[in-house]
Amino acid sequence: GLEITLEKFFSRGYYLLLTTSVFDSKYTAFDGIERNTSFNGNYVANILGGYEFKTGKHSAMTIDLKAVWAGGKRFTPIDVEKSFTEKETVYKYKQSYEKKHDDYFKVDLRIGFRINGKKINQEWALDLKNISNHQNIFMQSYDPATNSITTDYQQGFFPMMLYRIQF
């Protein structure tokens, strides 16, 4: 594979990090056939950045952004007919990791306020996880009640509050 990273270290109130990787991840199974690994999304790109606004001699407001775009997770297809007969999920192992789910995409935003004391630093922040509410697939399974494949998704939009003391 190939990886490229560009970084601007924190100075003048901001930082920035860009990374991208292009790769091909394979394995050879016991049957002698070379296949994709479950991790072979083929590419991933990340961007992280932040800015700090001084609000006083010992305090600052911060804004941080993190985004990830990656090739979809590889999966082994489910054999619906055999799953119906067995009443449980049966996979088509001869087609292991040939197909990919849709691309993974997530953007997080943090807005914070920090006070730096002589012995203690305090931070308050609002973390907005997955602000685009993109539905990233976690896994699929067979549902015998409906005789269909169900899809479970990763966490959607999720706001969190943070209070941190450092000493």
Side-chain angles (χ1 to χ4, degrees):
L2 173 70
E3 182 173 323
I4 298 171
T5 300
L6 299 172
E7 183 172 10
K8 194 271 182 201
F9 293 101
F10 185 78
S11 67
R12 290 187 246 153
Y14 75 100
Y15 70 95
L16 186 64
L17 177 68
L18 301 165
T19 66
T20 187
S21 298
V22 179
F23 55 91
D24 195 26
S25 178
K26 306 273 188 185
Y27 75 100
T28 302
F30 287 117
D31 59 9
I33 297 173
E34 184 178 73
R35 294 186 172 91
N36 293 301
T37 69
S38 62
F39 306 104
N40 195 14
N42 300 115
Y43 52 88
V44 62
N46 298 283
I47 182 168
L48 296 98
Y51 193 80
E52 182 176 280
F53 305 90
K54 296 288 184 187
T55 57
K57 188 174 180 182
H58 301 288
S59 61
M61 291 286 297
T62 59
I63 296 177
D64 299 283
L65 183 75
K66 176 173 60 172
V68 178
W69 175 42
K73 183 179 175 184
R74 298 276 177 170
F75 66 97
T76 302
I78 296 170
D79 188 325
V80 178
E81 291 78 25
K82 285 186 181 177
S83 296
F84 177 73
T85 304
E86 301 284 328
K87 300 294 185 221
E88 65 181 11
T89 305
V90 177
Y91 295 97
K92 297 179 181 179
Y93 288 108
K94 289 187 179 185
Q95 298 174 24
S96 292
Y97 310 125
E98 289 179 3
K99 297 181 180 182
K100 291 193 317 183
H101 290 301
D102 291 340
D103 285 357
Y104 177 91
F105 180 73
K106 183 178 174 204
V107 178
D108 299 335
L109 176 68
R110 173 184 277 189
I111 301 167
F113 178 71
R114 188 179 67 246
I115 298 175
N116 298 323
K118 288 184 180 181
K119 295 184 178 183
I120 294 175
N121 296 336
Q122 298 180 70
E123 180 183 5
W124 295 264
L126 173 63
D127 271 336
L128 303 172
K129 302 291 186 181
N130 195 6
I131 60 174
S132 67
N133 199 30
H134 189 83
Q135 297 295 299
N136 294 302
I137 294 175
F138 175 65
M139 66 178 284
Q140 291 182 319
S141 59
Y142 173 75
D143 182 357
T146 61
N147 191 33
S148 63
I149 296 172
T150 60
T151 302
D152 295 322
Y153 294 92
Q154 294 185 15
Q155 183 74 49
F157 173 70
F158 190 76
M160 296 187 307
M161 293 296 298
L162 166 85
Y163 175 67
R164 179 179 6 216
I165 299 175
Q166 295 176 322
F167 51 93

